[in-house]
Amino acid sequence: MAHVASAAIDSDLLIATIDEFYTTTNEQRRHDIDKILCRFKSEYECVQTVGACMRIINQEKCSPNVRYFGAVALYDVIKVRSEECVVNQTLQMSVKTFLIDSLTSGAYVQSTSILNKLSAALALFSLYCIPEVWMTPVEDLTQLLATTPEILLKVLSDMAAEFAHVVMPLAQRSRLKAELHKFSENIIQILAVVLRGGDTSSITKQAAVECVEQWLRLPGICLDAWTQVLSDVLGAVVQDCTALASILDIIAENDEFHRHSMLIINICQYICVNVSQKIEDELREDATSEEITALVAATCLVAEKSIPTLVECAVQGGNSELVIQMSRVMQVLANLQGQYPLDEMVSDLPSSYFISLRCEVMQTSSSGSTINDQLRNEFSQIYAEILDVAIRKLRYPSMEIWLSWSLYDREIFDAYRKTRSDASYDSYNFSAIDTLNYLNQKLEEATNNGDVNTSEACLFQWECVANYLGESDYTPILKCLELCASSSFSASTSSPTLDLDSDRRGGTLMGVLYALSYLIQEHEQAKELECALIPVILSYVSPNVPSVRQAIETLQKFTEDRSESLDIVGDQVSTRCYEFFNAPSASDSDRLAALKCIGYVLSRKPPSETMKIIGQILSYQNINEAGIDEKIRHRRYAFQINIFSTLFASLSSRKEIESTEEEPTIVQLLKEAIPVFEALCCGDENGLNKKNSGSLIQEVCKAVRSALTSLPERYIASFFPFVVSLVNTALFVSESVVAACGLAKSTVLQCGSLVGADMANAFSHWVKTAEQHMESSQLDEYLQLIHQVVKKNWKMIRKFEDPSMFAFLSATKICSFIIINSSVPTEVRSASQVLAALSTYATSHDDAAMKTVFAENGPTLLRAVFGRIQGELMRPTVEALADILYFYFKEFTTETRALISAEPYGSSALITAMFREIGNLRNFKQQTIRFNLAAVRDPGSI
């Protein structure tokens, strides 16, 4: 934008405009004035703008708002128009002199906010002048501002802070950073004088601390040189929570902190002696204040970052006292008395320290270093004490108190439990059996005392450690299971709804049993254990239990293997789950989950008995009840289909008992289901609107796919005609395309080798019909079906010449159409992958018929692929197109060269390089990718 050179800035008008900006209540007028003031900073000559800023800053009659605007505007001009300020020597000296004078002789007439902005402006200006224009700014400013040490320290602090706001080329920025690192020696000397001065005021010391903070934040700063100053700073801020937290945060976040062992040791000693006492005093006053939370968080961060050094000193140096002291400090914080988050908000912060310490100790032990018994016992005791308090800290308050909490406090407490969920596992790593025995002891005490919430907290700790247990832990595990199997943990059925505390404990109990199920099922007494535990689980399978879904999922885990225990408790499972399945208040998803458990039980019964029970389940649905509307009928049909689907999945047992005289249950069930499925797909006499039948057909496809994967192989062929008929119907109904393609994929995999020519004919029909639907929005699904068949069933399909060639010819036409016309990236990718697979198999199997198809479609297909490769594509698409080009380059070299050379960029050096690589597919692909990148980024470079 050209700067206004002729018109001078009217200072009085500018001042009036600024005053109006701050005083007007008209939002539109304020918006208009804002635009005017923004133009003031950018449209005038830099000399005029800077001069106007200086004038309004110095006018004592102006309001504070006007003078503050002048300071902000001057800062902005220096920031945005730095080159103009620095190149013009007169302007450069004017800005420098004005800022220094304003911060010295004029400081008494300016407000703090204006002085802060002027300090930032001087700091920013000095950065743009370093090193060519102003070589020694720190020394010069020290001399000029020596009489006002607070202002000097403020400017020096801003020099480090403003580095983040400097806009300049990277090389210049790196050079500036290097110069600032050199200045740090002078800064350290100044700070040392200030901090060690006996008569230094508290305000000056605070300014020095802030200066240290900013310089330590400077990228790449070396901590070594700052060690002594840090000692002075930490001594100066020991009673200031905010400053102490800030310094500790900065130290911990420094990239080099972990390399300085002595600094780490000194700071940890400082924390153990000084900071811990300060934290204790502050917590006694208010354990929920933001200041103490920030200080504890910073302390924990430093402690966590120090762990490798502390453990190394303990293991290799034999000095374990410091790591124990630090762990005790963290333990005191973790075990702080009071209810989180009402009474305190810091006991979760040491959790990451103890997790990191455990990991470091375990890693040190596994690497061959020896942790002496005394140190390990110390750690074991600390972690055991943390676990002991964690059980109390993680215990939910009574239902009445819990409901009185705000929703925010409840969410905070739930998050707190997750943060501290490693307490049992941490302790387990140092004393496995003792930890589990202790949890059992506390669980038994709480159970005997009728303390639901404490027993839940013990179960929660069991759940957190359960996934890490093994066979060596069976003794305490069996004791825990004995307690869990007692009547105390069964859900009471006396009240209409389970109370909140008991339900919560039930959910946690289900989590424990689910996590331990793999050990229970492998135990030599698995049958007895399952028979004892399943009734407890069943007590929670009720619509009156809010955590019923967890109970059903746990029940599924115990029944899915169809173990021998089901011969004993199977009837209980069936009865309870059937009652739940028929409960109108239960959700459909929960009812189906319960039905799956029934299916697992029925897998161990003879087919005739099983079918009688299934008949009862199906008859209960009453789909054709008179007077129901279409929406309800639709929902009932969908639910009945899901019933079949669930039973198909659960009746397919690895341990299924099959009678030599009876057909397997799943075969009989599928025969029972087919008439229902055919009615839905081919037309329903009961008035179901065919416009809404697409979603039902989709569910039918999912159900039949489930059945198909579960059918015994000798029965698959007999159901093949029905499956093909279903796919023929569903494949081109928009709502059911995805499910139909999934069913078609499974059909080819499961039935292909069994039905041979029929499968090839069916696949050919699907592909030829897809060719007639090339405008479909679901075309990518058809392509993925074709791609899977080509990849996994090529040999089987190609055994049958005519149908396979009809199918692959149609597939080639579909893919060519997409590559030429489609703007959908996923469609182009899928089409490219299909053609790539076809061309690869044509070459690897020397398939003359497929090569002929590619030859006949060569001109059209080659131009399409070559044109598409010049656009922006996903990497898999480029690689697939490269495979297609490689086929043509290698199989039809002369014809391809002649055709490509006539296309744009067809005679480029990259294309020549591609022809040179027709003996090496990997190199050819790399050249193709290079060609694609060049065409997209810089076509002129091709």
Side-chain angles (χ1 to χ4, degrees):
M1 181 184 293
H3 300 303
V4 180
S6 56
I9 298 176
D10 187 335
S11 296
D12 293 336
L13 179 59
L14 176 62
I15 291 170
T17 303
I18 298 168
D19 267 327
E20 185 181 1
F21 175 80
Y22 283 106
T23 56
T24 184
T25 57
N26 186 317
E27 289 298 324
Q28 182 58 46
R29 178 58 181 160
R30 182 188 293 272
H31 180 71
D32 295 338
I33 296 174
D34 182 59
K35 291 182 178 179
I36 295 170
L37 295 178
C38 287
R39 290 199 299 271
F40 158 72
K41 299 177 187 179
S42 59
E43 291 188 356
Y44 290 92
E45 290 286 346
C46 191
V47 173
Q48 290 182 298
T49 305
V50 170
C53 291
M54 292 178 181
R55 288 194 296 275
I56 61 177
I57 291 171
N58 280 338
Q59 285 204 22
E60 296 182 15
K61 295 181 180 179
C62 290
S63 67
N65 285 338
V66 171
R67 282 186 285 167
Y68 180 72
F69 174 85
V72 171
L74 181 58
Y75 173 87
D76 290 342
V77 170
I78 293 171
K79 182 178 180 180
V80 177
R81 305 172 68 175
S82 58
E83 188 174 350
E84 296 175 70
C85 294
V86 174
V87 170
N88 185 327
Q89 285 194 336
T90 303
L91 179 60
Q92 173 203 128
M93 290 303 299
S94 176
V95 171
K96 180 179 176 181
T97 303
F98 172 79
L99 289 171
I100 292 173
D101 287 348
S102 297
L103 290 170
T104 51
S105 57
Y108 68 96
V109 298
Q110 305 291 4
S111 65
T112 302
S113 60
I114 295 175
L115 287 175
N116 287 341
K117 187 53 69 172
L118 292 175
S119 171
L122 177 58
L124 185 63
F125 179 75
S126 68
L127 294 179
Y128 282 113
C129 293
I130 296 171
E132 290 85 357
V133 178
W134 196 353
M135 298 179 63
T136 57
V138 174
E139 294 179 8
D140 296 345
L141 289 171
T142 302
Q143 293 177 0
L144 293 168
L145 302 174
T147 56
T148 52
E150 294 89 351
I151 293 177
L152 169 63
L153 292 168
K154 175 65 175 144
V155 174
L156 296 179
S157 175
D158 286 339
M159 283 181 69
E162 292 298 327
F163 177 76
H165 303 145
V166 168
V167 179
M168 58 178 57
L170 183 59
Q172 185 181 350
R173 187 181 181 85
S174 298
R175 190 163 67 252
L176 172 60
K177 184 172 70 172
E179 292 296 324
L180 290 176
H181 287 172
K182 294 177 185 177
F183 295 156
S184 62
E185 186 176 344
N186 291 337
I187 302 290
I188 289 169
Q189 292 175 356
I190 295 168
L191 291 168
V193 170
V194 171
L195 291 170
R196 294 170 190 171
D199 56 349
T200 303
S201 67
S202 59
I203 297 176
T204 304
K205 284 189 176 182
Q206 182 180 352
V209 170
E210 291 173 0
C211 186
V212 172
E213 291 178 11
Q214 295 300 336
W215 278 86
L216 287 178
R217 287 194 176 101
L218 194 67
I221 200 72
C222 180
L223 278 179
D224 263 345
W226 290 81
T227 303
Q228 289 302 317
V229 171
L230 281 174
S231 176
D232 297 327
V233 169
L234 291 172
V237 300
V238 70
Q239 295 303 320
D240 186 337
C241 268
T242 304
L244 184 55
S246 180
I247 287 291
L248 291 176
D249 260 333
I250 293 168
I251 292 172
E253 291 170 359
N254 189 283
D255 293 336
E256 294 189 348
F257 176 62
H258 66 281
R259 300 176 184 171
H260 300 283
S261 299
M262 284 308 302
L263 176 62
I264 289 173
I265 290 171
N266 291 337
I267 289 180
C268 287
Q269 290 173 340
Y270 172 79
I271 288 174
C272 293
V273 175
N274 301 104
V275 179
S276 61
Q277 185 60 51
K278 176 63 177 174
I279 290 174
E280 184 181 342
D281 295 341
E282 292 295 327
L283 288 174
R284 196 179 299 114
E285 293 294 324
D286 182 4
T288 61
S289 72
E290 292 182 3
E291 290 79 8
I292 188 57
T293 302
L295 177 56
V296 172
T299 304
C300 292
L301 182 60
V302 172
E304 183 183 352
K305 294 289 185 68
S306 304
I307 286 172
T309 300
L310 295 177
V311 172
E312 183 181 1
C313 289
V315 174
Q316 298 183 5
N319 181 12
S320 60
E321 183 178 351
L322 186 55
V323 69
I324 295 300
Q325 286 181 342
M326 182 62 78
S327 299
R328 288 294 181 188
V329 170
M330 296 293 107
Q331 179 195 339
V332 169
L333 295 173
N335 291 353
L336 190 66
Q337 293 183 353
Q339 175 68 66
Y340 187 99
L342 303 183
D343 302 326
E344 57 90 9
M345 293 191 67
V346 300
S347 60
D348 58 324
L349 298 176
S351 297
S352 54
Y353 168 86
F354 286 109
I355 294 171
S356 298
L357 177 61
R358 178 248 300 165
C359 292
E360 186 69 25
V361 172
M362 295 301 112
Q363 184 178 348
T364 301
S365 298
S366 63
S367 64
S369 301
T370 303
I371 307 289
N372 66 63
D373 292 341
Q374 182 179 356
L375 179 58
R376 183 175 288 277
N377 289 337
E378 287 278 4
F379 285 145
S380 178
Q381 183 179 354
I382 290 172
Y383 279 107
E385 292 172 5
I386 290 174
L387 175 60
D388 175 52
V389 176
I391 292 174
R392 298 197 300 272
K393 296 286 287 184
L394 302 186
R395 177 188 182 276
Y396 279 97
S398 64
M399 180 173 62
E400 294 77 13
I401 295 175
W402 176 254
L403 294 177
S404 70
W405 285 14
S406 68
L407 181 61
Y408 175 76
D409 285 339
R410 292 185 219 170
E411 291 176 351
I412 289 291
F413 184 74
D414 287 334
Y416 174 74
R417 279 170 57 102
K418 293 178 182 177
T419 301
R420 299 203 60 178
S421 62
D422 278 276
S424 56
Y425 181 56
D426 288 341
S427 179
Y428 173 82
N429 274 274
F430 289 94
S431 183
I433 299 300
D434 288 345
T435 297
L436 300 180
N437 286 337
Y438 178 74
L439 288 176
N440 284 336
Q441 176 192 333
K442 301 298 289 185
L443 177 61
E444 187 171 16
E445 290 175 1
T447 305
N448 292 338
N449 294 332
D451 189 340
V452 174
N453 287 340
T454 299
S455 61
E456 188 278 335
C458 295
L459 288 172
F460 177 72
Q461 293 297 341
W462 259 107
E463 182 182 10
C464 294
V465 77
N467 285 323
Y468 305 99
L469 305 183
E471 294 180 359
S472 60
D473 304 308
Y474 265 130
T475 301
I477 288 174
L478 293 175
K479 176 61 178 177
C480 175
L481 295 176
E482 179 187 337
L483 294 170
C484 293
S486 67
S487 59
S488 302
F489 285 94
S490 296
S492 172
T493 57
S494 57
S495 59
T497 303
L498 194 64
D499 68 83
L500 177 64
D501 291 339
S502 298
D503 175 67
R504 187 191 295 117
R505 184 180 68 174
T508 307
L509 172 62
M510 295 303 113
V512 174
L513 297 180
Y514 191 98
L516 291 175
S517 60
Y518 72 104
L519 288 172
I520 295 171
Q521 291 162 349
E522 295 298 323
H523 194 266
E524 59 185 11
Q525 297 178 350
K527 182 177 178 180
E528 291 78 5
L529 290 172
E530 290 174 352
C531 289
L533 293 170
I534 286 177
V536 177
I537 299 171
L538 288 173
S539 70
Y540 289 89
V541 180
S542 167
N544 300 329
V545 176
S547 61
V548 62
R549 186 55 186 240
Q550 292 168 276
I552 295 174
E553 289 175 353
T554 305
L555 184 61
Q556 286 181 355
K557 191 70 174 175
F558 276 83
T559 56
E560 63 185 0
D561 277 351
R562 293 88 168 178
S563 63
E564 293 180 0
S565 63
L566 293 184
D567 294 336
I568 300 173
V569 296
D571 289 343
Q572 294 181 50
V573 173
S574 297
T575 302
R576 188 63 179 241
C577 288
Y578 185 68
E579 291 174 356
F580 181 83
F581 177 79
N582 289 330
S585 59
S587 69
D588 286 353
S589 60
D590 288 347
R591 293 171 66 196
L592 292 170
L595 179 62
K596 182 172 283 191
C597 296
I598 297 175
Y600 293 145
V601 173
L602 295 180
S603 296
R604 295 192 60 85
K605 295 182 180 295
S608 56
E609 184 179 344
T610 299
M611 287 306 298
K612 288 181 182 178
I613 297 172
I614 290 175
Q616 295 174 4
I617 294 172
L618 294 174
S619 64
Y620 181 80
Q621 301 311 303
N622 195 17
I623 292 176
N624 297 316
E625 179 183 350
I628 61 173
D629 60 26
E630 183 184 329
K631 184 177 180 180
I632 295 175
R633 189 189 306 277
H634 186 281
R635 177 182 174 276
R636 290 186 181 180
Y637 265 118
F639 188 67
Q640 186 173 38
I641 296 168
N642 288 329
I643 289 174
F644 281 118
S645 184
T646 301
L647 290 173
F648 290 147
S650 57
L651 289 170
S652 57
S653 171
R654 289 172 286 174
K655 303 175 182 178
E656 186 173 4
I657 302 173
E658 292 190 16
S659 170
T660 55
E661 300 176 358
E662 290 186 277
E663 289 180 332
T665 303
I666 193 166
V667 174
Q668 296 185 45
L669 182 61
L670 183 53
K671 287 181 177 180
E672 187 88 13
I674 284 177
V676 178
F677 293 164
E678 287 178 335
L680 290 172
C681 297
C682 303
D684 180 19
E685 297 177 356
N686 295 299
L688 187 66
N689 190 341
K690 290 193 70 175
K691 292 181 181 178
N692 300 322
S693 64
S695 59
L696 294 180
I697 296 174
Q698 172 182 261
E699 296 303 321
V700 170
C701 289
K702 293 178 181 177
V704 174
R705 187 180 187 185
S706 176
L708 197 61
T709 56
S710 305
L711 280 173
E713 188 174 287
R714 66 181 183 274
Y715 292 97
I716 288 178
S718 62
F719 291 103
F720 179 74
F722 163 71
V723 176
V724 170
S725 174
L726 174 60
V727 174
N728 290 341
T729 301
L731 200 56
F732 302 100
V733 177
S734 59
E735 297 91 341
S736 60
V737 170
V738 176
C741 285
L743 175 58
K745 292 173 186 176
S746 295
T747 303
V748 179
L749 287 173
Q750 299 289 122
C751 306
S753 60
L754 301 175
V755 297
D758 291 339
M759 185 72 263
N761 287 323
F763 176 67
S764 178
H765 172 72
W766 298 337
V767 180
K768 283 190 289 185
T769 310
E771 185 185 352
Q772 300 168 14
H773 292 75
M774 286 195 290
E775 301 295 339
S776 169
S777 60
Q778 305 278 4
L779 195 55
D780 189 44
E781 297 296 332
Y782 306 141
L783 290 170
Q784 290 181 37
L785 166 60
I786 297 169
H787 186 236
Q788 176 173 304
V789 173
V790 173
K791 292 284 285 185
K792 296 184 177 181
N793 301 91
W794 170 272
K795 289 184 179 180
M796 183 275 295
I797 293 291
R798 283 298 286 134
K799 286 179 182 178
F800 308 98
E801 181 72 18
D802 289 345
S804 64
M805 286 312 303
F806 283 131
F808 293 144
L809 179 59
S810 293
T812 304
K813 291 177 181 178
I814 296 171
C815 295
S816 299
F817 174 83
I818 289 175
I819 291 175
I820 294 170
N821 299 293
S822 180
S823 59
V824 181
T826 53
E827 288 183 357
V828 177
R829 178 193 61 198
S830 297
S832 303
Q833 290 172 337
V834 169
L835 287 175
L838 286 171
S839 63
T840 299
Y841 281 108
T843 302
S844 61
H845 294 85
D846 195 22
D847 193 320
M850 274 308 306
K851 289 182 181 180
T852 301
V853 170
F854 275 105
E856 291 172 352
N857 291 273
T860 302
L861 188 53
L862 254 177
R863 289 190 182 96
V865 171
F866 190 67
R868 180 67 74 167
I869 204 75
Q870 297 176 40
E872 191 165 351
L873 300 167
M874 293 185 286
R875 179 63 176 263
T877 306
V878 178
E879 293 180 349
L881 292 174
D883 283 331
I884 302 167
L885 289 175
Y886 183 76
F887 171 80
Y888 278 108
F889 276 45
K890 186 175 183 181
E891 297 292 332
F892 309 103
T893 307
T894 303
E895 297 88 340
T896 302
R897 189 188 301 272
L899 190 148
I900 292 291
S901 62
E903 297 295 310
Y905 308 114
S907 301
S908 66
L910 286 173
I911 298 300
T912 303
M914 289 164 65
F915 273 105
R916 286 198 299 267
E917 300 295 347
I918 57 176
N920 188 317
L921 176 58
R922 183 174 179 276
N923 290 347
F924 184 90
K925 278 190 177 181
Q926 292 300 318
Q927 293 293 346
T928 308
I929 292 169
R930 288 180 58 194
F931 178 77
N932 170 253
L933 292 175
V936 172
R937 296 177 182 175
D938 185 13
S941 67
I942 300 177

